[in-house]
Amino acid sequence: MITKFKEIWGKTDDIILRYPMVLTTALIAAISAVVAIEIDHQDNQFLVTKLAFAGCLGISLMFGIKMLSQRIGKGFLLEILGAAFLVWFYFYLPNSEKQFTEVNGFVIFALVILSHLFVSFSGFLNKKPELNFWQFNKNLFINIFLTAVFTGVLVLGVVLAILAVDKLFDFNFNNNLYPKTILFLAISGSTFIFLIFNDKGIFQLEKDGSYPQILKFFTQFVLIPLLLIYVTILYFYAGKILINWELPRGWVSYLILIYSVVGILALLLVHPLKEESAKSWVKVFSKIFYYTLIPLLVLLFVAIFTRILEYGYTEPRYFVLLLAIWLTTVVFYFIFYKKATIKFVPISLFIFGVFALIFPYANAFSTAKRSQKTELQQILTKNQLLENGKINFEKAIQDSVAIEIANKFQFLNERKQQAFLLNYIPETHLSKFKKILEKERYMVNSEIRISFQNIIKSKEKNDYQSNYQGVFSNKRNYDIQNYEKLIVFSNTDIQNEEQLDDYILKTKPIKDGYIFSGYIINLESPTKVTQSYDLTPFLKKQLEKDNADQLSTPLEEISTEFDLHQYHFKVYFSEIINNKVNKKDNISVRDIVILVKKK
């Protein structure tokens, strides 16, 4: 037993010395995730969460750098560059959740994909044998699977042990102990287990090894047959389009991309088998796969450009188009280049991804902004809504056009195009929109819609209208006489808090995932006694005033009054919307203004 313990400890010590930066970033990520659970203040919590994001990105980045340095040396310099990149990434992210936009989300997602692609080829930029490259990635794939299994067992075992001690010995642990334990072990524990499996790094991972039988069986008799069924369905759909002479549905592009990417993955998995004469099934698939993609690529480009020509570029559409171009490049590379290497797949995708993020003028974000600006200008001009270059909010407008303009404003404001948008706002609305665009970005969409005074509902209802109810009030002047305090909660998608003497006032949305079914106001006394008022019945009653001929119905005032503990409250709302999801209420409100006085 002592000998075994020394052997494990010796290996642990070796892992720490070999992968210090990988373990450091994992530890930073794990500790940050745990600390974020304990922090109550939203902005401080987000700062720590940023650190967790950077640490998690650093795990794959530093591991890839380690593989590269084992091949070419210069480990210290490469790790310094990697650390500098992570510092940049931390400061690139905004300092509060309110400033976090979907653009930041796209960048995080893209960098995670790129860092993992970098790992796959970082040690093989020189002319190492292709089989070594395949063995390296095959062993990584197996080690990731084993890491997931071992980590799952470790996390489950530790959590059950804590639960047993808690219940059997009446320790009454804080409930936060469980998510903190899970996060810490899932991040730092899984990293350490993964590194133990990879032990000495690239020189161990690229060694020849027997082809795993389970992988062979899965690829030959499950994955490839499923792909053949899948491509048959896509071909039948393509035939239906030709017969009916109709444009393809938008989601077909995602189906084609899934087939293409999974098919390429399958080919990579069976790469050593394709030359074995006994594996005719694999040989046939390897020969025909790229040819089967050619007609589907035509269908893919038609589907993509149908959406782009109608609505313009957004980041998702840009990435889908870029993937289509990359797929076309891969297809023709493997069809026409006789000395094709499988290293081309991850390396070319990495290059395309870097292009999408940083190439001047033509990157995803510049293209999307430029396209949506043009789309907004065309919509306003086509519908004759501009007078002296400003939007005339009093002109009659179809609801679909109002929604589209609001969506464009929301999109461009998320991408910091406030100056461009304000050029279209008339003087009478300018001060209001300056504040909203700069400080209350989540209100832009609804504010544009309610600013139009004469919205006409289409006679033929679309899915949006049939699921939509809305009322709004432009009341901004509140009678505060006899009231002691005015509180404004603008971000109503989260729980808000305000101190009232020794009491704590909270507004809490009732959520089920991304669906909001109502709102509750809680007032907690100094003795921790909470009284609640459910605003949901009031909100639903106001929505019943929705006018079938208008997108959002104007009301003179939307307010209600009630008492909690020793206080009297009057609550005003700027807008109430019920945009149903699967026939379930999805109620959102904008601007909760609360007047408070003691009874």
Side-chain angles (χ1 to χ4, degrees), residues 17 26-27 62 66 68 100 113 122-123 251 271 298 321 341 406 408 413 524 553-554:
L17 293 174
L27 198 61
M62 289 301 179
K66 185 64 179 180
L68 178 60
F100 189 88
I113 298 295
S122 58
W251 51 261
H271 178 69
V298 175
L321 176 61
T341 170
K408 304 294 184 192
N413 189 59
E524 184 182 292
T553 303

Side-chain angles (χ1 to χ4, degrees), residues 2 28 43 58 100 112 131 152 156 169-170 203 205 216 240 274 306 332 359 425 427 511 523 528 559:
I2 295 175
I28 289 171
D43 286 346
F100 189 88
V112 168
L131 187 59
L156 183 62
F169 298 98
D170 298 323
F203 303 114
L205 292 167
K216 184 185 296 185
K240 176 178 175 287
K274 69 178 183 178
T306 298
F332 286 104
F359 196 84
I425 303 300
E427 193 68 32
K511 296 170 61 177
L523 187 63
K528 304 299 181 182
S559 66

Side-chain angles (χ1 to χ4, degrees), residues 113-131:
I113 298 295
L114 290 175
S115 67
H116 285 78
L117 285 171
F118 175 66
V119 171
S120 72
F121 66 80
S122 58
F124 296 89
L125 294 174
N126 52 6
K127 294 184 178 181
K128 295 294 289 182
E130 190 173 62
L131 187 59

Side-chain angles (χ1 to χ4, degrees), residues 497-514:
E497 294 186 11
E498 184 76 14
Q499 195 79 27
L500 290 178
D501 300 324
D502 294 328
Y503 291 77
I504 300 176
L505 176 70
K506 298 179 182 179
T507 63
K508 182 181 179 183
I510 305 170
K511 296 170 61 177
D512 180 11
Y514 293 102

